[in-house]
């Protein structure tokens, strides 16, 4: 599709909420063109310029009031539907919004984020069929991980506060328990960040990507770990493929990073190989690390599955889940062959495509 069927203006000064709403709307409604306004000037500019089919606005804005915005929109464009999508959905606000001529009212909760696309559908008509719609599970992961961030941040903030204000009354045991609480909350937070990343690994753009430069970039970002462990990284000349470049960097960063992290007694030796045949590229990341037993070789690609505790070796266990999702999103596969104590070989296959 070359032109968007409907144009939406999304008004919200919280960048995370905006990003989530846009991601979820795009996943369900690829036919929408979404313009974002974080401040009053951008909002006014969009409204003056834009022929929109729908405005979605937060009520609580640092620079204004969603209801006032609603009235302004209705004064300028009486037929333009407006949805109030707000963190502050009380009954009084709802009734004032109805009086102001609101067309839709939605609370900004996980459920609200998920229902936004449905409400847009009711107001603008159903979506054009998408080529590859995101699965509902993906939407749920996005909305939940976004929504759980706030309570988890509260837990860690108050636990810290307790530690600071009541240290002298806590005693040794109390301090230890509080330490566990803070660390667990931090861990949940990074797991939520990672979950969000797994969900995002589905969406991608495609361009010609030179894997030599991708691997070089990935290796550069691992400089600290390479220095620390004395790792030696080598690579074959690699092909140019049709892919999302930043996802390829992320994939090789994870694979090479793991190859360094899970080393044995010897300094890590990591080799990235390139080859293929039968219409597929075959890229390998080989290491001389601790290896993986046969029983664990599938499990490690699951979200949050790890073979060590975070205290032994840091990590949340989503790296390989992301890598596999990226590989499959490109029409490829990712698998491992390994011997405990004898190193591992991760093999990524990618379709060759038509371009030479
Ligand atoms: P994380 O690195 O955060 O633990 P991953 O999903 O990247 O998460 O890896 C999952 C698990 O797979 C790791 O905890 C480790 O036990 C195992 N693993 C991954 N890569 C290797 C490797 N190159 N050698 C040995 N074990 C590995």
């Amino acid at each position: 599709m070359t032109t968007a069927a409907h144009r939406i203006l999304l008004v919200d000064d919280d960048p995370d909420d905006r990003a989530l709403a846009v991601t979820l709307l795009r996943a369900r409604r690829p036919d929408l063109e979404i313009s974002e306004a974080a401040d009053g000037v951008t909002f006014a500019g969009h409204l003056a310029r834009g022929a929109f089919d729908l405005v979605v606005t937060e009520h609580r804005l640092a620079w204004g009031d969603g209801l006032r915005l609603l009235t302004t929109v209705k004064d300028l464009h009486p037929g333009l539907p407006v949805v109030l999508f707000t963190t502050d959905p009380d009954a009084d606000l709802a009734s004032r919004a109805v009086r102001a001529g609101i067309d839709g009212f939605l609370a900004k909760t996980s459920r609200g984020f998920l229902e936004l696309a449905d409400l847009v559908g009711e107001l603008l008509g159903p979506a054009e069929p998408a080529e590859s719609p995101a699965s509902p599970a993906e939407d749920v992961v996005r909305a939940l991980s976004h929504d759980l961030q706030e309570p988890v941040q509260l837990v860690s903030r108050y636990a810290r506060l307790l530690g600071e204000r009541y240290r002298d009354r806590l005693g040794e045991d109390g301090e230890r328990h509080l330490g566990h609480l803070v660390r667990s909350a931090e861990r949940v937070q990074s797991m939520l960040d990672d979950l969000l990343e797994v969900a995002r690994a589905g969406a991608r753009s495609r361009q010609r990507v030179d894997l030599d430069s991708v691997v070089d970039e990935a290796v550069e970002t691992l400089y600290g770990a390479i220095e620390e462990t004395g790792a030696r990284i080598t690579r074959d000349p690699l092909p140019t493929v049709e892919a999302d470049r930043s996802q390829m960097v992320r994939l090789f960063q994870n694979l090479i990073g793991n190859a360094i992290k899970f080393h044995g007694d010897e300094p890590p030796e990591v080799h990235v190989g390139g080859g293929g045949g039968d219409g597929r590229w075959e890229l390998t990341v080989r290491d001389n690390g601790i290896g993986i037993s046969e029983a664990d070789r599938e499990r490690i690609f699951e979200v949050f599955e790890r073979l060590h505790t975070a205290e032994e070796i840091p990590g949340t266990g989503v790296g390989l889940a992301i890598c596999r999702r990226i590989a499959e999103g490109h029409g490829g596969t990712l698998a491992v062959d390994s011997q405990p104590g004898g190193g591992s070989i991760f093999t990524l296959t990618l379709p060759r495509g038509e371009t030479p």
Side-chain angles (χ1 to χ4, degrees):
M1 191 181 318
T2 48
T3 52
H6 293 293
R7 298 190 62 202
I8 288 193
L9 177 59
L10 181 67
V11 187
D12 198 328
D13 51 12
D14 183 322
D16 287 343
D17 287 354
R18 244 180 14 248
L20 183 65
V22 170
T23 314
L24 289 173
L25 280 172
R26 289 231 166 95
R28 297 269 305 279
R29 297 287 309 240
D31 59 319
L32 296 179
E33 188 182 313
I34 305 168
S35 304
E36 296 173 48
D39 57 72
V41 177
T42 317
F43 165 70
H46 273 309
L47 207 62
R49 272 193 312 275
F52 290 99
D53 301 296
L54 175 69
V55 176
V56 176
T57 179
E58 163 64 279
H59 164 236
R60 268 206 221 183
L61 298 159
W63 45 273
D65 171 346
L67 270 186
R68 292 272 301 279
L69 251 60
L70 163 63
T71 321
T72 313
V73 173
K74 290 286 180 190
D75 284 348
L76 284 172
H77 308 283
L80 180 57
V82 180
V83 170
L84 214 53
F85 184 44
T86 181
T87 35
D88 191 17
D90 64 28
D92 176 50
L93 174 65
S95 73
R96 284 187 294 142
V98 168
R99 282 200 299 279
I102 194 85
D103 301 272
F105 189 81
L106 210 54
K108 232 192 229 173
T109 56
S110 341
R111 173 186 280 253
F113 273 103
L114 291 171
E115 286 177 355
L116 186 57
D118 295 330
L119 183 57
V120 168
E122 280 170 31
L123 293 168
L124 299 180
E128 303 274 326
E131 269 176 34
S132 55
S135 71
E138 211 173 292
D139 285 358
V140 172
V141 168
R142 283 197 185 110
L144 271 184
S145 56
H146 171 273
D147 235 37
L148 290 174
Q149 291 279 2
E150 196 183 320
V152 172
Q153 278 166 10
L154 274 183
V155 171
S156 71
R157 200 173 316 143
Y158 280 100
R160 276 176 204 288
L161 209 67
L162 272 178
E164 283 163 20
R165 297 234 178 120
Y166 303 97
R167 170 144 295 142
D168 43 345
R169 286 196 240 163
L170 281 174
E172 211 173 292
D173 258 7
E175 244 182 83
R176 198 158 39 82
H177 297 326
L178 203 61
H180 285 310
L181 187 62
V182 171
R183 279 191 299 281
S184 298
E186 283 170 353
R187 206 165 144 64
V188 173
Q189 222 167 309
S190 57
M191 285 164 115
L192 289 173
D193 288 341
D194 287 344
L195 259 188
L196 207 55
E197 200 174 336
V198 179
R200 283 196 190 119
R204 69 210 165 267
S205 68
R206 290 288 169 91
Q207 68 239 184
R208 304 273 296 150
V209 175
D210 163 22
L211 289 182
D212 286 327
S213 75
V214 162
V215 169
D216 291 347
E217 189 178 327
V219 169
E220 237 175 80
T221 64
L222 296 165
Y223 178 78
I226 294 172
E227 282 278 284
E228 205 174 296
T229 55
R232 207 164 70 90
I233 321 278
T234 53
R235 67 163 171 80
D236 290 342
L238 301 173
T240 295
V241 299
E242 284 286 320
D244 178 313
R245 188 169 197 287
S246 60
Q247 288 196 351
M248 284 295 127
V249 173
R250 179 72 164 104
L251 186 147
F252 280 100
Q253 244 170 19
N254 276 348
L255 293 183
I256 300 168
N258 278 347
I260 298 170
K261 184 159 77 169
F262 298 102
H263 63 80
D265 296 333
E266 300 295 313
E269 301 260 346
V270 185
H271 181 73
V272 182
D278 276 354
R280 300 184 83 69
W281 295 114
E282 211 170 275
L283 303 144
T284 52
V285 177
R286 189 180 67 220
D287 66 55
N288 61 339
I290 57 176
I292 302 155
S293 73
E294 195 172 348
D296 293 322
R297 269 174 230 158
E298 257 317 295
R299 189 157 81 81
I300 55 169
F301 291 99
E302 300 291 324
V303 174
F304 298 143
E305 285 289 350
R306 331 192 50 226
L307 310 176
H308 313 267
T309 66
E311 283 72 35
E312 285 167 342
I313 305 180
T316 57
V318 300
L320 288 176
I322 292 175
C323 291
R324 182 169 266 182
R325 238 180 115 81
I326 292 175
E328 290 174 352
H330 284 79
T333 58
L334 180 67
V336 66
D337 193 13
S338 178
Q339 291 304 323
S344 309
I345 304 179
F346 284 83
T347 303
L348 164 73
T349 69
L350 290 173
R352 267 178 190 261
E354 284 97 55
T355 24

